[in-house]
Amino acid sequence: MREIVVFSGSAHRGLATAICEDLDVELSSVEMTRFSNDCLQAQLQTNCRQRDVYLVQPLCPPTQEHLMELLLMIDAARGASAERISAVIPYYSYARSDKKDASRLSVGGRLVADMLVAAGVDRVLTMTLHAPQVHAFFSVPVDHLTALGVLADHFLGQDLTDAVVVSPDFGNAKTAGQLARLLGVPVAAGSKKRLGDDQVVIDTIVGDVEGRRAIVLDDEIATGGSIVELLDRLAEQGCTEAAIACTHGLFVGKAIERLRDHPMVTEVVTTDTVPPPADWPELKVLSVSGLFAQAIARSHAGESVSSMFDGVDPSLGPPQARLFG
């Protein structure tokens, strides 16, 4: 692993350190300078010439600050003659901006992808994109990882009698179905209409939840508005309790208060793609550093990354052989 160099911006050094420990490499330092006019400058403190450089930086709040840090680190690595530059973005927040569904609307998911490529990135490693089509916004290779296996392992250690996996909306129902398959339980989904960033309406639940314990799965939880609305509908239909699971646990605004104090919630489980809140000790945080380290090692060695998810998520796994004629 001598040819691998790993840097981290300020977004999540804890995850970057854990990835480096799994890789058995040292996390190299970055000097980030802020000038009097509020401009940033990044200086990489380790030789990058002809090296395989990995820059770890989730796009979590303050998102624009962390995005600019990442762009500057990419530019610095390119100027330092790096052989290959890979942006490790565990949480690609702009994946929520994936389509133009109103007049004169920006599509941030594609714009940020173009900015990363223009800065000089050669490859992107990310996890659980909110909209899978964002993968195609990049003109460079993208390794799209999933935390489904990590979340499934957590729940497989529990009694799943009368459990049901529930998606807050139909858009996430396919992923919820994959978790349900891994757990051997049924699946249900809410019919959701979004009225605003923090305002949703779930008018019905498709699937049998009466007398069952729900495992609510979402890709990310920001304010928790969708989850609380879903919990109210589940209670109305006779659901007894609910465990909440997500990959990206942002928990901004009133999210912690909403979920921690809700009478139906038995536990909240997330991963460390973004820094967990310091004031929620009951939150269960599962590490995905091993997945990213394995993906980096495989990418560096020219091995398949998709084969990591054999039997977990067919859409991310390698193509299956087909017979013709």
Side-chain angles (χ1 to χ4, degrees), residues 19-310:
I19 291 173
C20 287
E21 289 175 354
D22 290 329
L23 286 171
D24 195 24
V25 300
E26 183 178 351
L27 178 62
S28 298
S29 62
V30 179
E31 182 176 335
M32 199 68 64
T33 304
R34 186 182 300 273
F35 294 104
S36 57
N37 63 356
D38 204 37
C39 288
L40 292 174
Q41 175 182 276
Q43 184 179 37
L44 308 180
Q45 301 292 300
T46 301
N47 178 29
C48 300
R49 187 176 297 274
Q50 302 301 306
R51 304 289 182 90
D52 198 358
V53 173
Y54 292 84
L55 308 169
V56 181
Q57 183 87 324
L59 299 184
C60 52
T63 304
Q64 279 57 247
E65 184 91 356
H66 292 151
L67 172 60
M68 194 63 204
E69 285 185 8
L70 179 58
L71 292 170
L72 291 171
M73 288 190 295
I74 293 170
D75 181 72
R78 181 175 63 173
S81 302
E83 178 69 20
R84 187 175 67 168
I85 304 168
S86 298
V88 181
I89 311 175
Y91 171 56
Y92 186 70
S93 54
Y94 275 96
R96 296 182 66 93
S97 178
D98 63 305
K99 58 186 177 295
K100 186 175 180 181
D101 51 7
S103 299
R104 298 174 293 280
L105 192 68
S106 62
V107 184
R110 186 191 60 212
L111 174 62
V112 172
D114 289 344
M115 291 168 66
L116 292 168
V117 174
V121 78
D122 298 302
R123 179 178 292 272
V124 172
L125 277 75
T126 189
M127 176 170 278
T128 313
L129 292 169
H130 179 74
Q133 64 266 26
V134 172
H135 189 147
F137 288 175
F138 290 87
S139 57
V140 295
V142 176
D143 290 318
H144 188 196
L145 312 184
T146 178
L148 269 184
V150 174
L151 294 171
D153 286 344
H154 171 79
F155 289 106
L156 283 171
Q158 303 177 5
D159 181 9
L160 297 177
T161 304
D162 295 328
V164 57
V165 175
V166 182
S167 170
D169 53 57
F170 295 144
N172 194 54
K174 181 179 178 181
T175 304
Q178 291 164 352
L179 179 63
R181 174 180 56 83
L182 293 173
L183 300 181
V185 301
V187 64
S191 175
K192 181 173 76 174
K193 296 179 182 178
R194 181 169 291 279
L195 306 180
D197 182 49
D198 189 27
Q199 187 178 7
V200 298
V201 173
I202 297 178
D203 48 25
T204 188
I205 303 292
V206 179
D208 181 18
V209 297
E210 185 176 0
R212 292 181 176 273
R213 170 203 172 200
I215 299 174
V216 176
L217 176 69
D218 209 349
D219 61 315
E220 79 176 73
I221 297 177
T223 63
S226 297
I227 301 298
V228 171
E229 178 76 9
L230 177 65
L231 291 173
D232 292 342
R233 300 291 83 75
L234 289 172
E236 291 172 1
Q237 297 201 16
C239 185
T240 58
E241 61 183 39
I244 311 299
C246 68
T247 299
H248 311 299
L250 298 173
F251 305 119
V252 297
K254 298 180 179 179
I256 297 177
E257 177 184 343
R258 286 170 168 173
L259 298 178
R260 183 175 53 193
D261 300 336
H262 199 285
M264 280 194 66
V265 176
T266 57
E267 65 173 342
V268 180
V269 183
T270 187
T271 76
D272 58 351
T273 57
V274 299
D279 55 345
W280 195 359
E282 302 86 0
L283 178 68
K284 292 182 174 63
V285 182
L286 310 177
S287 182
V288 293
S289 62
L291 285 176
F292 278 101
Q294 186 179 359
I296 289 172
R298 289 183 177 221
S299 175
H300 178 67
E303 299 174 352
S304 170
V305 173
S306 60
S307 61
M308 292 170 54
F309 305 108
D310 285 351

